[in-house]
Amino acid sequence: MADSSAPAPPTDEVANLHLDEVTGERISKTELKKRQKQRQKEADKAAKAAAAPPKASGKPKNAAGEEEKDLNPNQYYEIRTRHINELLKNPDTNPYPHKFHVTYDDSKFTEEFGHLKSGETAEGQEIRIAGRIYNKRASGSKLIFYDIRTSADTVSIGTQLQVVCQAQLIKEGGTAFEKQHENIRRGDVIGIVGYAGRTNPKNKLAEGKEGELSVFATEITLLSPCLHMLPSVRFPFADSEQRARMRHLDMLWNDRTRQTLWERSRMVRFIRDFFHERRFIEVETPMMHAIAGGATALPFVTHHNDLDLDMYMRVAPELFLKKMIVGQFGKVFELGKNFRNEGIDLTHNPEFTSCEFYWAYADVFDVMALTEELVSSLVKELTGSYKTKFTTQHGEVYDVNWEAPWRRVEMIPELEKATGEKFPPFEELHTDETNAFLQRVCKKMKVECPPPLTNARMIDKLTGEFIEETCVNPTFIMEHPQMMSPLAKYHRSKKGMCRRPVPFEAFVCKKEIANAYTELNNPFDQRLRFEEQARQKDQGDDEAQLVDESFLNALEYGLPPTGGWGLGIDRLAMFITNNYSIREVLPFPFLREEKTATKEKFAAELVDVQPMPEEGIRK
């Protein structure tokens, strides 16, 4: 499981901060001036040292790149770029080879060679691995240590290994030791040929400890140089805004980020396997629709040039999946992207991933049981326990128990307890009189509901204030009014209600992660619901749905009794990995445009690389 410590809160108030072009951080004006003064002092010192005559030194030049340690990131980038460009001019020194044959599974390294004692090696078994250098140390001119990390895969987020490079290990006839290492720097990707062994340090032996399990290299190959200086204690990379904008560097440098995204991948794989094992069929439905439907949300609009037709990016796959149930597929699910033209905050991203399933001949109680089974077993698989902790952006820590059965709450009776008001009968919740009642209750309870003040929006707002706030552990909020669920089936016994377990609010920040209900399969009733939604849109509710004639036509062929469900993958990942911001669980979150005064030169611009001549177009 990912580290339970909460990340630092994102910086919201940046109006008075200034960009440090060297580190990419936004800092105060005083701190910026302090840094600029210190850097100028270091640059003057370096220039003075460069102009001075060389001094004799008894200390050998033991590591290429040692002279670069005092450079700032910009200076390093320019020097490194020019150096690599020179290597590119000679085919024999090409730093970007086409292939390096990796033959060993590094995730098994400790398991297979952990038995070795200090000074022991396994020379008979050749190892070919590749990884990125995170640290480089030299001891004299003939001994270099690299700390590398391999790439993440389905088994782990990568393995950290020490590589020992000694001149006497180079095979006869191979590339000279100095030639192999002179162009290698921290951050580079290298290929290693060697064998496993354990070092034999005297200090550890004196303490009764074994040496470090390592790869003893017989050959090192530069596979891809890193032109930029990696973060360090001197130049850290912790600003949340820059981490999101330079996600590749964030993943490369911060173990927690890579761990979180790896856990998300495991989560998605588990969900797929869960449904496949229960004979659900995974399908793909359109991303662009002529009518935005399937959920109450404001869609993104795009345009089809050839047809000269406005289209909508899908807000949910629901209606298409129900059509597949009509088409004689009894169990279907889809994992994919949805797009909603809404604000960006800690729990919302305009582009997000959801999982929806539809199950013929099942009702809401079947769906609730399946949901409890899926999520609780998922948490147990990922964390080893049903209990997790979640830390909010304010530092509050929630102890969450995912084990079934989950708490169930009926919406209207719970609101009556919270407000001290008797709500109108279920069949009257859609009337103008109820609208006046709800406005009075909102005013009494000091709950502000943004316009338009429809009955559905006000009930939803009251629910958020007085029920969702109590949902720390997984909870089903049940029995929505029909007007709040235009695609849900009516209640078996209560007129005006639909049997729908509401978003079982996630325990963390009391946010919705999923909702499930018995699908409405009556085409007569469904048309009336759609027309009511259309009237709400005419009243100014941009999120209300329109009448989808194609879906109504499908219902007329007969939709079996069906249970349906939708789960927000991103939010569930937030809660399981203990991240209060949705951007932490997205590989590349949506970000506002960054406006900077200066533009950093790209590597090709620094060395004046000319473009290849283009083939002319004949007229």
Side-chain angles (χ1 to χ4, degrees):
M1 183 179 177
D3 183 11
S4 62
S5 60
T11 306
D12 294 323
E13 300 178 2
V14 297
N16 296 321
L17 299 183
H18 299 262
L19 178 66
D20 183 338
E21 295 180 0
V22 174
T23 66
E25 296 177 278
R26 293 189 177 276
I27 55 178
S28 67
K29 186 175 182 180
T30 302
E31 176 64 17
L32 180 60
K33 285 185 175 181
K34 181 180 177 182
R35 292 187 184 186
Q36 290 172 338
K37 185 176 180 180
Q38 179 62 27
R39 288 167 188 156
Q40 184 60 48
K41 186 176 179 181
E42 292 174 357
D44 292 343
K45 183 179 179 181
K48 185 177 180 180
K55 295 181 180 180
S57 175
K59 185 178 180 180
K61 184 181 178 182
N62 52 22
E66 183 72 19
E67 68 279 2
E68 297 169 353
K69 66 180 182 179
D70 293 325
L71 299 177
N72 67 41
N74 283 348
Q75 293 168 331
Y76 181 91
Y77 174 56
E78 183 168 346
I79 292 172
R80 180 71 163 149
T81 298
R82 297 188 187 282
H83 176 63
I84 295 302
N85 188 55
E86 289 301 314
L87 296 180
L88 284 167
K89 295 176 181 179
N90 183 350
D92 295 333
T93 59
N94 178 21
Y96 298 99
H98 289 285
K99 170 75 176 177
F100 180 82
H101 196 45
V102 175
T103 61
Y104 183 72
D105 181 357
D106 55 83
S107 67
K108 300 177 180 178
F109 187 72
T110 302
E111 177 185 344
E112 293 187 357
F113 300 108
H115 64 277
L116 295 175
K117 303 297 182 181
S118 294
E120 293 183 350
T121 60
E123 294 184 43
Q125 184 176 347
E126 183 182 78
I127 290 176
R128 296 179 64 94
I129 60 173
R132 186 183 297 273
I133 299 170
Y134 280 74
N135 195 21
K136 177 181 178 180
R137 307 179 305 281
S139 179
S141 60
K142 303 296 183 180
L143 177 60
I144 298 174
F145 297 88
Y146 296 118
D147 293 330
I148 71 161
R149 292 181 190 173
T150 59
S151 301
D153 56 25
T154 58
V155 178
S156 71
I157 64 166
T159 306
Q160 184 168 330
L161 296 170
Q162 176 175 270
V163 180
V164 179
C165 305
Q166 292 177 287
Q168 62 264 35
L169 298 181
I170 300 301
K171 293 181 179 179
E172 187 175 346
T175 306
F177 183 81
E178 292 78 9
K179 287 291 183 182
Q180 287 190 26
H181 299 276
E182 65 181 350
N183 298 316
I184 294 177
R185 303 290 187 272
R186 182 169 170 261
D188 292 352
V189 178
I190 60 173
I192 303 119
V193 181
Y195 52 85
R198 197 177 286 275
T199 59
N200 195 25
K202 294 180 180 179
N203 58 338
K204 284 197 174 183
L205 291 175
E207 297 172 3
K209 298 179 181 178
E210 298 288 352
E212 185 168 350
L213 188 62
S214 308
V215 176
F216 286 78
T218 58
E219 181 184 343
I220 296 289
T221 304
L222 177 60
L223 303 180
S224 183
C226 178
L227 302 183
H228 292 270
M229 180 184 289
L230 285 189
S232 63
V233 174
R234 185 180 172 208
F235 297 106
F237 188 66
D239 179 77
S240 62
E241 187 69 18
Q242 289 305 311
R243 284 178 50 238
R245 293 191 181 280
M246 299 182 68
R247 198 61 158 163
H248 53 285
L249 180 55
D250 184 31
M251 292 184 280
L252 182 158
W253 182 249
N254 292 312
D255 287 346
R256 178 180 167 84
T257 299
R258 199 164 59 258
Q259 176 82 27
T260 294
L261 297 175
W262 180 72
E263 295 256 2
R264 178 196 170 103
S265 175
R266 291 180 63 206
M267 188 179 87
V268 171
R269 189 169 69 249
F270 182 94
I271 292 172
R272 275 199 165 96
D273 291 344
F274 180 91
F275 283 113
H276 287 151
E277 289 168 4
R278 286 154 184 79
R279 300 176 64 186
F280 280 78
I281 298 173
E282 184 172 7
V283 299
E284 294 181 348
T285 60
M287 288 286 184
M288 294 190 299
H289 302 166
I291 294 178
T296 302
L298 185 64
F300 282 97
V301 182
T302 186
H303 188 77
H304 192 294
N305 289 337
D306 191 51
L307 299 179
D308 191 22
L309 178 68
D310 281 342
M311 304 284 288
Y312 301 94
M313 301 300 292
R314 80 171 180 197
V315 295
E318 177 171 339
L319 302 187
F320 285 97
L321 293 175
K322 289 181 184 177
K323 287 181 180 180
M324 297 202 71
I325 297 294
V326 173
Q328 211 58 23
F329 284 86
K331 294 179 177 181
V332 296
F333 79 98
E334 181 171 11
L335 261 162
K337 293 287 188 182
N338 296 320
F339 308 86
R340 298 185 182 179
N341 204 343
E342 57 190 15
I344 306 168
D345 58 30
L346 291 176
T347 59
H348 290 85
N349 194 70
E351 174 185 358
F352 65 96
T353 304
S354 74
C355 177
E356 291 201 17
F357 81 79
Y358 293 87
W359 180 7
Y361 312 111
D363 68 5
V364 68
F365 300 106
D366 300 313
V367 173
M368 281 195 287
L370 190 69
T371 301
E372 290 173 330
E373 182 185 1
L374 167 63
V375 179
S376 61
S377 60
L378 168 63
V379 173
K380 184 68 179 292
E381 173 70 18
L382 263 60
T383 70
S385 171
Y386 290 116
K387 296 180 180 180
T388 63
K389 290 185 181 294
F390 184 84
T391 308
T392 71
Q393 72 265 38
H394 304 299
E396 299 172 276
V397 178
Y398 292 92
D399 292 308
V400 184
N401 186 354
W402 300 82
E403 192 171 7
W406 293 354
R407 174 185 172 220
R408 287 155 168 75
V409 174
E410 294 183 7
M411 178 185 286
I412 298 301
E414 196 71 15
L415 287 179
E416 289 178 339
K417 292 179 187 177
T419 62
E421 297 281 350
K422 179 65 177 175
F423 277 56
F426 301 132
E427 64 271 19
E428 297 177 11
L429 288 175
H430 67 285
T431 64
D432 292 339
E433 290 76 13
T434 299
N435 185 277
F437 165 80
L438 290 171
Q439 290 195 46
R440 180 175 62 79
V441 171
C442 286
K443 185 176 181 180
K444 169 189 171 182
M445 303 305 297
K446 298 180 180 179
V447 172
E448 292 187 13
C449 179
L453 298 179
T454 62
N455 295 14
R457 288 170 67 91
M458 286 188 283
I459 292 176
D460 185 58
K461 189 67 177 178
L462 289 168
T463 300
E465 292 287 335
F466 299 110
I467 301 180
E468 294 177 7
E469 285 298 309
T470 69
C471 300
V472 175
N473 287 327
T475 303
F476 291 111
I477 305 174
M478 303 175 64
E479 300 192 349
H480 277 48
Q482 286 181 7
M483 61 186 172
M484 296 181 69
S485 307
L487 300 170
K489 199 173 183 72
Y490 57 85
H491 196 286
R492 286 189 174 100
S493 59
K494 299 177 183 177
K495 187 177 180 182
M497 296 297 289
C498 57
R499 177 64 74 176
R500 179 193 185 202
V502 150
F504 45 86
E505 308 272 72
F507 40 93
V508 188
C509 299
K510 297 94 177 182
K511 295 293 183 179
E512 169 191 349
I513 58 171
N515 59 55
Y517 47 87
T518 303
E519 303 301 327
L520 176 60
N521 61 346
N522 179 340
F524 306 98
D525 194 2
Q526 182 66 81
R527 179 174 290 279
L528 294 177
R529 305 273 193 93
F530 274 154
E531 289 175 352
E532 173 60 26
Q533 285 276 298
R535 282 192 291 272
Q536 291 184 18
K537 183 173 281 289
D538 290 339
Q539 294 173 26
D541 189 348
D542 292 334
E543 296 184 350
Q545 300 180 53
L546 292 173
V547 178
D548 190 326
E549 295 290 351
S550 175
F551 177 65
L552 289 170
N553 179 261
L555 286 189
E556 291 171 358
Y557 282 88
L559 173 68
T562 300
W565 174 89
L567 171 73
I569 298 296
D570 308 317
R571 285 194 185 173
L572 184 59
M574 287 170 57
F575 304 136
I576 293 177
T577 61
N578 194 11
N579 283 287
Y580 62 77
S581 174
I582 195 171
R583 64 164 52 174
E584 297 293 340
V585 299
L586 299 174
F588 299 98
F590 186 88
L591 300 168
R592 293 177 175 84
E593 182 182 2
E594 184 180 37
K595 296 180 180 179
T596 56
T598 59
K599 174 182 172 292
E600 182 181 288
K601 283 188 175 182
F602 294 114
E605 295 175 318
L606 275 175
V607 296
D608 195 26
V609 173
Q610 297 300 312
M612 296 289 288
E614 296 181 7
E615 181 182 355
I617 300 176
R618 295 179 182 178
K619 295 183 180 180

